Amino acid sequence: MGSFTAIVKDLKDILELSKIMLSHKHDLMHKATGWMLREGWKKDPLAIEEFLDEFATRMPRTMLRYAIEKMEEKKRKGYLKL
């Protein structure tokens, strides 16, 4: 399997797991999910930003902060204001 196919599959899995974790009650799961989103953003920023555009208002704050940690300041502040 080519690396592009693997990335697409991995992001699909990450996004599906992230949807499930939106309502998880444990902070450590929020951190882990935010980390997955952040790492996915490094591979495909558009896919992760589309996810954030849809779910940022429902994400636990810890998850959101981890997910946007490496983004440029203007974009980070935009997500935090949602």
Side-chain angles (χ1 to χ4, degrees):
M1 178 179 345
S3 62
F4 178 75
T5 305
I7 290 169
V8 170
K9 182 184 181 321
D10 289 346
L11 286 179
K12 182 180 176 190
D13 292 343
I14 287 169
L15 297 175
E16 288 302 313
L17 285 170
S18 296
K19 286 179 192 176
I20 294 167
M21 293 298 156
L22 288 173
S23 60
H24 201 282
K25 63 181 181 176
H26 294 292
D27 187 56
L28 288 176
M29 295 307 292
H30 301 163
K31 289 179 181 181
T33 304
W35 172 82
M36 287 190 313
L37 290 167
R38 182 183 67 226
E39 294 304 309
W41 178 80
K42 291 177 183 178
K43 301 290 185 186
D44 187 348
L46 183 58
I48 300 303
E49 289 172 18
E50 286 176 358
F51 178 87
L52 292 174
D53 290 344
E54 184 174 351
F55 294 104
T57 58
R58 299 189 311 189
M59 291 174 77
R61 198 70 163 176
T62 301
M63 185 186 299
L64 179 61
R65 286 190 172 275
Y66 270 71
I68 64 175
E69 184 176 46
K70 300 294 182 182
M71 292 181 180
E72 60 210 32
E73 184 177 359
K74 183 178 178 182
K75 195 171 283 192
R76 272 195 330 266
K77 286 184 177 183
Y79 282 116
L80 289 172
K81 287 182 182 178
L82 295 176

